Amino acid sequence: MNEERVNQAVETDPLGPAERARSDFVREMVQRHECSSLCSAMWAGPTPKRIVQFWDDLQRLPDDVRTCMDSWKQLKRIGFTLEVFDKTSASAFIRNRLGTRYEDAFNKCYHPSMMSDYFRYSYVFVEGGFYIDADDVYHGAPIDELFMDGRVKLQPFCYDVATSQMVAPSIFTEPGANQPGWIFYFNTTPLIASRRHPIIERALLNATVSLEMGCANSLPEVQATTGPGNLTRSVFEVISEGCAPDAMMVVHDWELISTSQWPLSYRNDSRNWRLSNQQEYMAPPTSDVQ
Protein backbone atom coordinates (compact mmCIF):
# COMPACT_ATOMS: atom_id res chain seq x y z
CA MET A 1 0.00 0.00 0.00
CA ASN A 2 2.80 2.44 0.87
CA GLU A 3 4.53 1.67 -2.44
CA GLU A 4 1.27 2.37 -4.28
CA ARG A 5 0.95 5.77 -2.60
CA VAL A 6 4.55 6.63 -3.48
CA ASN A 7 3.96 5.71 -7.12
CA GLN A 8 0.83 7.85 -7.20
CA ALA A 9 2.76 10.77 -5.68
CA VAL A 10 5.24 10.86 -8.52
CA GLU A 11 2.90 9.84 -11.35
CA THR A 12 2.35 13.52 -12.11
CA ASP A 13 5.57 15.45 -12.49
CA PRO A 14 5.67 18.08 -9.71
CA LEU A 15 7.61 20.37 -12.03
CA GLY A 16 6.41 22.26 -15.05
CA PRO A 17 8.20 21.78 -18.39
CA ALA A 18 10.65 24.65 -17.84
CA GLU A 19 11.54 23.55 -14.32
CA ARG A 20 11.93 19.92 -15.41
CA ALA A 21 14.27 20.99 -18.22
CA ARG A 22 16.42 22.81 -15.66
CA SER A 23 16.42 19.81 -13.32
CA ASP A 24 17.50 17.50 -16.14
CA PHE A 25 20.20 19.99 -17.12
CA VAL A 26 21.55 20.04 -13.55
CA ARG A 27 21.45 16.25 -13.37
CA GLU A 28 23.58 15.97 -16.51
CA MET A 29 26.09 18.48 -15.17
CA VAL A 30 26.26 16.84 -11.76
CA GLN A 31 26.74 13.33 -13.11
CA ARG A 32 29.38 14.35 -15.68
CA HIS A 33 32.24 13.99 -13.20
CA GLU A 34 35.05 14.21 -15.74
CA CYS A 35 34.18 17.83 -16.50
CA SER A 36 34.81 19.03 -12.96
CA SER A 37 38.59 19.23 -13.43
CA LEU A 38 38.46 21.17 -16.70
CA CYS A 39 39.41 24.81 -16.66
CA SER A 40 39.90 26.95 -19.75
CA ALA A 41 42.38 29.81 -19.91
CA MET A 42 39.47 32.22 -19.46
CA TRP A 43 38.99 31.07 -15.86
CA ALA A 44 42.65 30.52 -15.03
CA GLY A 45 42.92 33.50 -12.68
CA PRO A 46 42.53 32.73 -8.96
CA THR A 47 39.50 33.50 -6.81
CA PRO A 48 40.21 35.77 -3.82
CA LYS A 49 40.64 33.91 -0.55
CA ARG A 50 37.95 36.03 1.04
CA ILE A 51 35.24 34.48 3.24
CA VAL A 52 32.00 36.46 3.59
CA GLN A 53 29.10 35.83 5.99
CA PHE A 54 25.83 37.58 6.84
CA TRP A 55 23.44 37.80 9.76
CA ASP A 56 20.78 40.49 9.61
CA ASP A 57 21.22 41.70 13.20
CA LEU A 58 24.61 40.93 14.72
CA GLN A 59 23.46 42.32 18.07
CA ARG A 60 21.00 39.40 18.20
CA LEU A 61 23.29 36.69 16.87
CA PRO A 62 22.40 33.35 18.51
CA ASP A 63 25.29 31.69 20.32
CA ASP A 64 24.93 28.45 18.38
CA VAL A 65 25.08 30.32 15.07
CA ARG A 66 28.12 32.24 16.28
CA THR A 67 29.85 28.93 16.93
CA CYS A 68 29.21 27.87 13.33
CA MET A 69 30.55 31.17 12.01
CA ASP A 70 33.61 31.03 14.22
CA SER A 71 34.56 27.61 12.85
CA TRP A 72 35.81 29.33 9.67
CA LYS A 73 38.23 31.61 11.52
CA GLN A 74 40.92 28.93 11.52
CA LEU A 75 41.38 29.61 7.79
CA LYS A 76 42.74 33.07 8.61
CA ARG A 77 45.98 31.35 9.65
CA ILE A 78 46.60 30.27 6.04
CA GLY A 79 45.87 33.56 4.33
CA PHE A 80 42.07 33.81 4.14
CA THR A 81 40.34 37.02 5.15
CA LEU A 82 36.91 36.96 6.78
CA GLU A 83 34.19 39.62 6.61
CA VAL A 84 30.83 39.59 8.37
CA PHE A 85 27.96 41.87 7.32
CA ASP A 86 24.60 42.71 8.82
CA LYS A 87 21.55 44.28 7.18
CA THR A 88 22.86 47.83 7.54
CA SER A 89 26.40 47.21 6.28
CA ALA A 90 25.15 44.95 3.47
CA SER A 91 22.74 47.64 2.31
CA ALA A 92 25.54 50.23 2.37
CA PHE A 93 27.83 47.93 0.38
CA ILE A 94 25.17 47.37 -2.28
CA ARG A 95 24.37 51.09 -2.49
CA ASN A 96 28.03 52.13 -2.78
CA ARG A 97 29.16 49.42 -5.19
CA LEU A 98 26.07 48.73 -7.31
CA GLY A 99 23.76 51.71 -6.96
CA THR A 100 20.27 52.57 -5.78
CA ARG A 101 18.43 50.14 -8.06
CA TYR A 102 20.11 47.19 -6.35
CA GLU A 103 19.79 48.72 -2.90
CA ASP A 104 16.05 49.15 -3.50
CA ALA A 105 15.82 45.49 -4.52
CA PHE A 106 17.71 44.43 -1.39
CA ASN A 107 15.27 46.46 0.71
CA LYS A 108 12.39 44.52 -0.86
CA CYS A 109 13.76 41.30 0.64
CA TYR A 110 11.22 40.74 3.42
CA HIS A 111 13.09 37.96 5.23
CA PRO A 112 16.73 37.70 6.43
CA SER A 113 17.20 34.59 4.29
CA MET A 114 16.34 36.60 1.17
CA MET A 115 18.66 39.39 2.28
CA SER A 116 21.52 36.94 2.66
CA ASP A 117 20.81 35.46 -0.80
CA TYR A 118 20.70 38.85 -2.47
CA PHE A 119 23.75 40.12 -0.64
CA ARG A 120 25.87 37.08 -1.55
CA TYR A 121 25.20 37.62 -5.26
CA SER A 122 26.03 41.31 -4.87
CA TYR A 123 29.24 40.81 -2.94
CA VAL A 124 30.67 37.91 -4.93
CA PHE A 125 29.84 39.63 -8.22
CA VAL A 126 31.62 42.84 -7.17
CA GLU A 127 34.55 41.47 -5.17
CA GLY A 128 34.80 37.75 -5.86
CA GLY A 129 35.46 35.31 -3.06
CA PHE A 130 33.61 32.77 -0.95
CA TYR A 131 30.20 33.30 0.61
CA ILE A 132 29.13 30.75 3.22
CA ASP A 133 25.89 30.69 5.23
CA ALA A 134 26.10 31.57 8.91
CA ASP A 135 24.78 28.16 9.94
CA ASP A 136 27.38 26.17 8.00
CA VAL A 137 30.14 24.64 10.12
CA TYR A 138 33.64 24.03 8.75
CA HIS A 139 35.09 20.54 9.25
CA GLY A 140 38.72 21.49 8.66
CA ALA A 141 39.31 19.87 5.25
CA PRO A 142 41.68 21.67 2.82
CA ILE A 143 39.90 24.05 0.43
CA ASP A 144 42.81 25.81 -1.30
CA GLU A 145 42.21 24.08 -4.63
CA LEU A 146 38.75 25.67 -4.89
CA PHE A 147 40.44 29.07 -5.19
CA MET A 148 43.07 28.21 -7.79
CA ASP A 149 40.87 29.38 -10.69
CA GLY A 150 37.98 31.76 -11.27
CA ARG A 151 35.18 29.30 -12.00
CA VAL A 152 32.04 29.43 -9.91
CA LYS A 153 31.87 26.45 -7.55
CA LEU A 154 28.46 25.17 -6.49
CA GLN A 155 27.09 22.37 -4.34
CA PRO A 156 24.46 20.14 -6.00
CA PHE A 157 21.29 19.05 -4.22
CA CYS A 158 18.58 16.54 -5.06
CA TYR A 159 15.12 16.42 -3.46
CA ASP A 160 12.84 13.38 -3.68
CA VAL A 161 9.19 14.41 -3.86
CA ALA A 162 7.97 10.87 -3.13
CA THR A 163 9.71 10.65 0.25
CA SER A 164 9.86 14.41 1.02
CA GLN A 165 13.56 13.97 1.77
CA MET A 166 16.89 14.99 0.33
CA VAL A 167 18.77 12.33 -1.64
CA ALA A 168 22.32 11.61 -0.45
CA PRO A 169 25.04 12.98 -2.76
CA SER A 170 26.68 9.56 -2.85
CA ILE A 171 23.52 8.34 -4.61
CA PHE A 172 22.35 11.16 -6.89
CA THR A 173 25.80 12.12 -8.22
CA GLU A 174 26.38 8.66 -9.70
CA PRO A 175 26.08 8.61 -13.52
CA GLY A 176 22.60 7.51 -14.57
CA ALA A 177 21.04 7.83 -11.13
CA ASN A 178 17.50 9.18 -11.40
CA GLN A 179 13.98 8.49 -10.13
CA PRO A 180 10.56 9.94 -10.94
CA GLY A 181 10.04 12.91 -8.68
CA TRP A 182 13.73 13.69 -8.13
CA ILE A 183 14.48 17.40 -8.44
CA PHE A 184 18.10 18.38 -9.09
CA TYR A 185 19.29 21.90 -8.31
CA PHE A 186 22.22 23.96 -7.08
CA ASN A 187 22.47 25.28 -3.54
CA THR A 188 23.36 28.90 -2.86
CA THR A 189 25.96 27.95 -0.26
CA PRO A 190 28.84 27.77 -0.76
CA LEU A 191 29.11 30.43 -3.46
CA ILE A 192 32.70 30.65 -4.70
CA ALA A 193 33.66 32.66 -7.81
CA SER A 194 35.90 35.29 -9.26
CA ARG A 195 34.58 38.85 -9.50
CA ARG A 196 32.12 39.68 -12.29
CA HIS A 197 31.44 36.06 -13.14
CA PRO A 198 28.56 35.89 -15.68
CA ILE A 199 26.61 33.29 -13.71
CA ILE A 200 26.68 35.40 -10.55
CA GLU A 201 25.82 38.47 -12.61
CA ARG A 202 22.75 36.70 -14.01
CA ALA A 203 21.68 35.45 -10.56
CA LEU A 204 21.88 39.01 -9.25
CA LEU A 205 19.95 40.41 -12.22
CA ASN A 206 17.26 37.73 -12.11
CA ALA A 207 16.74 38.25 -8.37
CA THR A 208 16.58 42.02 -8.89
CA VAL A 209 13.96 41.78 -11.63
CA SER A 210 11.88 39.29 -9.63
CA LEU A 211 11.88 41.59 -6.61
CA GLU A 212 10.98 44.60 -8.76
CA MET A 213 8.05 42.70 -10.29
CA GLY A 214 6.72 41.57 -6.93
CA CYS A 215 2.94 41.32 -6.71
CA ALA A 216 1.29 44.00 -4.59
CA ASN A 217 -1.09 41.46 -3.06
CA SER A 218 1.42 38.80 -1.99
CA LEU A 219 5.02 38.35 -1.01
CA PRO A 220 7.36 36.53 -3.42
CA GLU A 221 8.42 32.95 -2.81
CA VAL A 222 11.89 32.80 -1.27
CA GLN A 223 13.43 29.89 -3.18
CA ALA A 224 12.39 31.04 -6.64
CA THR A 225 13.07 34.73 -6.08
CA THR A 226 16.51 34.76 -4.47
CA GLY A 227 17.31 31.21 -3.39
CA PRO A 228 18.39 27.98 -5.10
CA GLY A 229 15.61 28.21 -7.68
CA ASN A 230 16.92 31.56 -8.85
CA LEU A 231 20.55 30.39 -8.90
CA THR A 232 19.73 27.16 -10.76
CA ARG A 233 17.70 29.08 -13.34
CA SER A 234 20.60 31.50 -13.81
CA VAL A 235 23.16 28.72 -14.37
CA PHE A 236 20.82 27.11 -16.91
CA GLU A 237 20.25 30.36 -18.79
CA VAL A 238 23.88 31.45 -18.99
CA ILE A 239 25.21 28.10 -20.17
CA SER A 240 22.28 27.57 -22.57
CA GLU A 241 23.06 30.96 -24.11
CA GLY A 242 26.58 29.87 -25.01
CA CYS A 243 28.78 30.27 -21.95
CA ALA A 244 31.14 27.28 -21.76
CA PRO A 245 30.15 24.64 -19.18
CA ASP A 246 33.65 24.90 -17.71
CA ALA A 247 32.67 28.31 -16.37
CA MET A 248 31.54 26.40 -13.30
CA MET A 249 32.62 23.44 -11.23
CA VAL A 250 30.29 21.09 -9.40
CA VAL A 251 31.59 20.37 -5.89
CA HIS A 252 30.36 16.82 -5.43
CA ASP A 253 31.74 16.23 -1.94
CA TRP A 254 31.11 19.55 -0.20
CA GLU A 255 29.62 17.76 2.82
CA LEU A 256 33.15 16.58 3.66
CA ILE A 257 34.20 20.23 3.94
CA SER A 258 31.15 21.76 5.57
CA THR A 259 27.56 21.00 6.52
CA SER A 260 24.60 23.06 7.60
CA GLN A 261 24.21 22.57 11.33
CA TRP A 262 21.00 21.04 12.71
CA PRO A 263 19.35 21.71 15.01
CA LEU A 264 19.87 25.42 15.74
CA SER A 265 17.74 27.64 17.96
CA TYR A 266 16.59 30.02 15.22
CA ARG A 267 15.10 27.23 13.11
CA ASN A 268 12.15 27.02 15.50
CA ASP A 269 10.82 30.53 14.91
CA SER A 270 10.22 33.13 12.22
CA ARG A 271 13.95 33.48 11.52
CA ASN A 272 13.64 30.15 9.67
CA TRP A 273 12.49 31.11 6.17
CA ARG A 274 10.56 27.85 5.83
CA LEU A 275 8.24 29.07 8.59
CA SER A 276 8.01 32.58 7.12
CA ASN A 277 7.86 31.95 3.39
CA GLN A 278 5.53 34.50 1.74
CA GLN A 279 4.58 35.90 5.14
CA GLU A 280 5.34 39.25 6.69
CA TYR A 281 8.46 38.75 8.78
CA MET A 282 8.37 39.60 12.46
CA ALA A 283 11.63 39.10 14.36
CA PRO A 284 11.15 37.15 17.59
CA PRO A 285 11.25 39.08 20.89
CA THR A 286 14.72 39.56 22.34
CA SER A 287 13.90 37.20 25.20
CA ASP A 288 13.35 34.40 22.66
CA VAL A 289 16.72 34.86 20.95
CA GLN A 290 19.26 32.35 22.21
Side-chain angles (χ1 to χ4, degrees), residues 49-109:
K49 292 183 176 181
R50 182 183 297 117
I51 302 169
V52 187
Q53 297 170 301
F54 173 91
W55 191 262
D56 67 308
D57 185 352
L58 291 172
Q59 300 303 312
R60 294 158 56 94
L61 178 65
D63 290 340
D64 50 9
V65 175
R66 186 188 303 276
T67 299
C68 296
M69 296 175 73
D70 286 348
S71 70
W72 297 93
K73 289 184 177 180
Q74 61 186 285
L75 288 168
K76 294 169 70 175
R77 298 195 299 266
I78 58 172
F80 283 81
T81 61
L82 197 152
E83 295 184 73
V84 178
F85 287 77
D86 61 11
K87 180 179 179 180
T88 300
S89 57
S91 181
F93 176 90
I94 293 169
R95 178 178 64 252
N96 295 333
R97 304 301 298 275
L98 290 167
T100 55
R101 178 191 180 188
Y102 295 91
E103 183 189 22
D104 290 344
F106 176 77
N107 290 335
K108 290 179 184 293
C109 294

Side-chain angles (χ1 to χ4, degrees), residues 27-39 151 173-176 245-246 248-250 252:
R27 176 171 58 84
E28 292 176 3
M29 290 196 72
V30 168
Q31 296 178 359
R32 198 183 303 138
H33 285 253
E34 68 272 11
C35 291
S36 293
S37 61
L38 296 177
C39 179
R151 292 176 294 172
T173 60
E174 286 300 307
D246 66 359
M248 69 165 287
M249 171 184 170
V250 178
H252 295 89

Side-chain angles (χ1 to χ4, degrees), residues 9-252:
V10 298
E11 184 175 350
T12 302
D13 194 333
L15 300 181
E19 291 80 7
R20 175 52 61 193
R22 290 197 287 268
S23 176
D24 290 345
F25 165 84
V26 173
R27 176 171 58 84
E28 292 176 3
M29 290 196 72
V30 168
Q31 296 178 359
R32 198 183 303 138
H33 285 253
E34 68 272 11
C35 291
S36 293
S37 61
L38 296 177
C39 179
S40 69
M42 182 176 181
W43 309 105
T47 294
K49 292 183 176 181
R50 182 183 297 117
I51 302 169
V52 187
Q53 297 170 301
F54 173 91
W55 191 262
D56 67 308
D57 185 352
L58 291 172
Q59 300 303 312
R60 294 158 56 94
L61 178 65
D63 290 340
D64 50 9
V65 175
R66 186 188 303 276
T67 299
C68 296
M69 296 175 73
D70 286 348
S71 70
W72 297 93
K73 289 184 177 180
Q74 61 186 285
L75 288 168
K76 294 169 70 175
R77 298 195 299 266
I78 58 172
F80 283 81
T81 61
L82 197 152
E83 295 184 73
V84 178
F85 287 77
D86 61 11
K87 180 179 179 180
T88 300
S89 57
S91 181
F93 176 90
I94 293 169
R95 178 178 64 252
N96 295 333
R97 304 301 298 275
L98 290 167
T100 55
R101 178 191 180 188
Y102 295 91
E103 183 189 22
D104 290 344
F106 176 77
N107 290 335
K108 290 179 184 293
C109 294
Y110 62 87
H111 190 272
S113 176
M114 299 183 79
M115 297 175 198
S116 71
D117 285 334
Y118 194 86
F119 172 67
R120 78 189 65 191
Y121 301 140
S122 301
Y123 188 97
V124 174
F125 174 66
V126 171
E127 293 285 355
F130 168 29
Y131 183 96
I132 189 70
D133 275 345
D135 55 17
D136 281 4
V137 63
Y138 177 49
H139 300 316
I143 62 172
D144 276 9
E145 67 175 25
L146 297 176
F147 297 82
M148 294 175 63
D149 60 66
R151 292 176 294 172
V152 60
K153 284 86 176 179
L154 299 177
Q155 177 188 21
F157 270 179
C158 180
Y159 179 77
D160 185 1
V161 174
T163 62
S164 300
Q165 293 181 349
M166 303 301 293
V167 183
S170 60
I171 297 174
F172 76 78
T173 60
E174 286 300 307
N178 195 21
Q179 293 291 332
W182 280 14
I183 303 173
F184 293 79
Y185 61 97
F186 291 117
N187 197 15
T188 56
T189 183
L191 191 66
I192 304 172
S194 58
R195 63 188 300 270
R196 302 200 171 273
H197 194 289
I199 289 176
I200 308 303
E201 180 179 27
R202 183 64 60 88
L204 175 60
L205 179 60
N206 282 341
T208 301
V209 172
S210 294
L211 289 163
E212 291 172 339
M213 294 175 59
C215 178
N217 298 321
S218 63
L219 294 172
E221 202 278 330
V222 172
Q223 289 259 38
T225 304
T226 61
N230 172 68
L231 180 59
T232 301
R233 169 193 168 194
S234 301
V235 173
F236 176 78
E237 289 176 350
V238 170
I239 293 181
S240 296
E241 291 168 8
C243 183
D246 66 359
M248 69 165 287
M249 171 184 170
V250 178
V251 185
H252 295 89

